[in-house]
């Protein structure tokens, strides 16, 4: 099986751009998906197939992928965006990245 | 409204067994693959396993950490998926979520059910 590697934490001030990366050897061949998990809640899919935003997700969320790295970008991060973010790459089974804690303060 | 509701969590001794249920509503359950994902306290998401739909022969697959101990099944007549857990270990303590793959992976999750393995 393969692995997806994320930074443990990212911190930005409100209104700044937050970038969360996800690296893995499978990413050139597989789409990346991003999930947001706020404290005490179940995860929510925010970005699918590298760069598509799910309905209802704010436009400040975007995704990109190049080579072995996928990136979740939050333009003008808000306090309410503070959460854990997980990348996932679709295969016959499942592999999640280790998660990145985004702090906005 | 698309909904997944887990139940069956609780406290169990090491070596014991527990069966979790995931009741689905608001979508065509028979079209979906159903997955289980767990999360230990303060840790990340860990994929546990999945069962595909009838068209894919209800094929199952499991994470190495649970293979041979956990079994996923489904009952189409009840729109319910199950996670049977045997030979439980302390390290199986986690919140267990069920989630689906229909068109997109994991676009709907249950609220989770906690499992504590302790003597």
């Amino acid at each position: 099986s393969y692995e997806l590697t994320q930074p443990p934490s990212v911190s930005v001030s409100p209104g700044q751009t937050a970038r969360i990366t996800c690296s893995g050897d499978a990413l050139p061949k597989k789409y990346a998906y991003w999930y947001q998990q706020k404290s005490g809640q179940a995860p929510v899919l925010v970005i699918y197939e590298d760069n598509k935003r799910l309905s209802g997700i704010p436009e400040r969320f975007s995704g990109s992928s190049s080579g072995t790295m996928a990136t979740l970008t939050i333009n003008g991060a808000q306090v309410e965006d503070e959460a854990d973010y997980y990348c996932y790459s679709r295969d016959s089974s499942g592999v999640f990245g280790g998660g990145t804690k985004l702090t906005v303060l | 409204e698309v909904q997944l509701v887990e139940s069956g969590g609780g406290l169990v001794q090491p070596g014991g067994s527990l069966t979790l249920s995931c009741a689905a509503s608001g979508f065509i359950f028979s079209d979906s693959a159903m997955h289980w994902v767990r999360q230990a306290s303060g840790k990340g998401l860990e994929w546990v396993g999945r069962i595909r739909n009838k068209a894919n022969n209800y094929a199952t697959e499991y994470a190495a950490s649970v293979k041979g101990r956990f079994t996923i099944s489904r009952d189409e007549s009840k729109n319910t998926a199950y996670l049977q857990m045997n030979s439980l270990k302390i390290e199986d303590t986690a919140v267990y979520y069920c989630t689906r793959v229909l068109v997109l992976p994991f676009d709907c999750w249950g609220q989770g059910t906690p499992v504590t393995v302790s003597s």
Side-chain angles (χ1 to χ4, degrees), chain A residues 33 35 37 42-43 86 90 92, chain B residues 39 44 50 101 103 105-106 109-110:
Chain A
Y33 299 78
Y35 298 83
Q37 186 182 33
Y86 296 90
R90 191 170 185 175
S92 62
Chain B
Q39 185 172 38
R50 60 98 172 124
V101 176
V103 175
F106 316 150
W109 296 67

Side-chain angles (χ1 to χ4, degrees), chain A residues 6-29:
Chain A
Q6 298 180 234
S9 63
V10 168
S11 182
V12 299
S13 299
Q16 288 188 328
T17 297
R19 293 183 180 87
I20 299 171
T21 59
C22 172
S23 63
D25 290 339
L27 292 179
K29 304 181 291 292

